């Protein structure tokens, strides 16, 4: 049977696809815009027909109908990283949460510690050899394909066909549906003067020829905006977005001086504009890979001069980062921050930056604190921390004593809080 014959045989309606689901199934959904909107809308509409179905996903983008506290006994979202769609449910307790390093999620699926009964994913159109590309989210989904009883693809001509280990053959697919709506766009965060100041400090410390990992957020994007004059930058990251695309377009990113996968940008998921998605299509300079490849600290750390830029919500005077909760209230998740901090620490000439505004709530609260707020979910440990950057400067903590760390961090705190922090540090014997 030809590839096209197989395609026609497996082409289904949403109703056919939902018929593959069983009560109790754990369904794997790719990161962000890799989620299949037509399938998930259909499942939302039919959710009361099912019992105890769980949908596992990192960073849901759209708030589908199953994000409903009244129907969680039918279909429940399980988050690996809270975003705007899932955060309120997680804070209220009716969205479940599985903590994990992003890099380790494929391994958890392979060991069946996270189930993967069914995969629902967006996919590019099939190529002449019978392959689809899961370009928008290779992440943990590629591992789930090997475990799943059923694989259902939402094939959309607006999904790019990317190179790398992100492809699946028609023979592996259980069913597919077709859709044609544009892929969800996610705009760049707003950047203000504080973010610009932090971005300049970081950008000034990035050398030509460095390889970049850039997290999502206003401060990482503020760094990107100030790198256009750099030369021969490379990219080895978890997320490819419009900020990186702008550096390619201005010539700052060439990937020529990368010593690990030279000439290639590497990422595991995409989040951005239609322009970004078009850029990804059959681009020989870009490869999308599973997250246990992109985020593995050993592999990523083989890039010399690896620069990791990630944000935190709070940091204490020892350098412990609470990047994913506000006290005990969940906000996001571990994601790849710890993965890339460790990778940059392994890298020859690498630099790991944790960035944060010095204050919150209109300068009424210091984000640099003597000890983390009780219940805070710690993301990056005191043993891994390297550079911390606020709008008031740079603190270099790696190799420093506890007292030296306290001094460095107080020096980049907001001036209104420095005296208070010194007194608190003395009270806990840090000064």
């Amino acid at each position: 049977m030809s590839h096209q014959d197989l395609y026609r045989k497996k082409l289904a309606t949403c109703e056919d696809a939902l018929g593959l689901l069983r009560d109790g199934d754990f369904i794997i959904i790719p990161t962000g815009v890799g989620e299949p909107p037509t399938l998930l809308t259909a499942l939302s509409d039919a959710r009361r027909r099912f019992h105890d179905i769980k949908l596992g996903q990192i960073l849901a983008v759209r708030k589908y109908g199953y994000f409903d506290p009244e129907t969680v006994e039918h279909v429940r979202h399980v988050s690996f990283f809270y975003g705007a769609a899932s955060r309120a449910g997680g804070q209220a307790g009716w969205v479940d949460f599985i903590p994990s390093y992003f890099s380790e999620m494929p391994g958890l699926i392979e060991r069946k510690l996270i189930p993967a009964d069914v995969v629902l994913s967006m996919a590019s159109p099939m190529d002449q050899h019978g392959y689809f590309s899961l370009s928008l989210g290779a992440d943990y989904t590629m591992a789930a394909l090997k475990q799943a009883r059923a694989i259902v693809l939402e094939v959309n001509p607006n999904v790019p066909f990317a190179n790398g280990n992100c492809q699946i053959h028609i023979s592996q697919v259980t069913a597919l549906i077709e859709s044609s709506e544009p892929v969800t766009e996610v705009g760049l965060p707003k950047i203000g003067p504080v973010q610009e100041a932090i971005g300049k400090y970081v950008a000034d410390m990035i050398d030509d020829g460095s390889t970049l990992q850039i997290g999502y957020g206003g401060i990482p994007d503020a760094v990107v905006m100030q790198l256009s004059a750099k030369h021969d930058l490379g990219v080895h990251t978890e997320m490819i977005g419009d900020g990186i695309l702008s550096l390619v377009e201005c010539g700052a990113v060439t990937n020529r001086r990368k010593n690990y996968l030279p000439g290639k940008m590497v990422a595991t998921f995409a989040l951005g504009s239609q322009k970004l998605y078009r850029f990804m299509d059959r681009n020989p300079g870009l490869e999308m890979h599973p997250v246990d490849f992109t985020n593995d600290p050993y592999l990523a750390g083989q890039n010399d001069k690896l620069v990791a830029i990630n944000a935190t919500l709070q940091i204490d005077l020892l350098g412990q980062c609470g990047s994913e909760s506000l006290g005990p209230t969940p906000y996001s998740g571990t994601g790849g921050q710890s993965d890339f901090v460790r990778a940059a620490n392994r890298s020859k000439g690498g630099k790991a930056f944790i960035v944060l505004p010095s204050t919150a709530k209109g300068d009424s609260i210091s984000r640099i604190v003597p000890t983390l707020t009780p219940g805070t979910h710690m993301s990056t440990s005191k043993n891994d921390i390297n550079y911390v950057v606020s709008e008031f400067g740079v603190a270099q903590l790696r190799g420093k004593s506890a007292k030296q760390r306290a001094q460095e961090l107080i020096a980049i705190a907001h001036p209104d809080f420095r005296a208070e922090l010194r007194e608190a540090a003395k009270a806990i014997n840090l000064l």
Side-chain angles (χ1 to χ4, degrees), residues 134-154:
L134 308 190
S135 56
L136 300 176
D139 48 53
Y140 44 81
T141 307
M142 298 305 293
L145 297 178
K146 300 174 185 177
Q147 306 293 331
R149 181 189 75 247
I151 298 167
V152 184
L153 302 183
E154 182 170 327

Side-chain angles (χ1 to χ4, degrees), residues 122-125 154-161 178-181 183 281:
M122 285 276 268
S124 73
E154 182 170 327
V155 180
N156 186 313
N158 298 304
V159 175
F161 193 103
E178 294 178 328
S179 68
S180 58
E181 65 176 285
V183 177
D281 190 52

Side-chain angles (χ1 to χ4, degrees), residues 211 259 297 300-307 341-351:
T211 292
N259 57 304
Q302 292 187 45
N303 292 286
D304 290 350
K305 298 169 73 172
L306 178 66
V307 173
V341 167
R342 291 178 175 176
N345 288 341
R346 295 184 64 97
S347 166
K348 182 180 179 181
K351 297 174 182 177

Side-chain angles (χ1 to χ4, degrees), residues 99-241:
S100 172
Y101 296 116
F102 199 4
S103 64
E104 295 186 356
M105 289 187 61
L108 295 175
I109 291 171
E110 288 166 2
R111 296 183 181 95
K112 298 181 169 55
L113 295 171
I114 295 177
D117 301 302
V118 177
V119 172
L120 304 180
S121 176
M122 285 276 268
S124 73
M126 185 176 72
D127 75 359
Q128 62 181 330
H129 305 293
Y131 285 93
F132 305 86
S133 178
L134 308 190
S135 56
L136 300 176
D139 48 53
Y140 44 81
T141 307
M142 298 305 293
L145 297 178
K146 300 174 185 177
Q147 306 293 331
R149 181 189 75 247
I151 298 167
V152 184
L153 302 183
E154 182 170 327
V155 180
N156 186 313
N158 298 304
V159 175
F161 193 103
N163 298 314
N165 182 11
C166 62
Q167 296 163 9
I168 179 174
H169 193 263
I170 182 63
S171 61
Q172 300 171 264
V173 177
T174 310
L176 52 90
I177 69 159
E178 294 178 328
S179 68
S180 58
E181 65 176 285
V183 177
T184 303
E185 292 188 273
V186 179
L188 294 172
K190 292 182 179 179
I191 296 172
V194 170
Q195 288 82 7
E196 281 191 35
I198 296 171
K200 186 175 190 313
Y201 280 120
V202 176
D204 286 347
M205 296 179 67
I206 296 176
D207 300 323
D208 290 343
S210 295
T211 292
L212 307 178
Q213 178 268 327
I214 301 171
Y216 181 78
I219 299 174
D221 276 307
V223 176
V224 169
M225 289 175 59
Q226 299 181 63
L227 295 178
S228 59
K230 301 289 182 179
H231 301 284
D232 289 325
L233 298 175
V235 174
H236 185 119
T237 190
E238 61 183 21
M239 184 194 85
I240 182 168

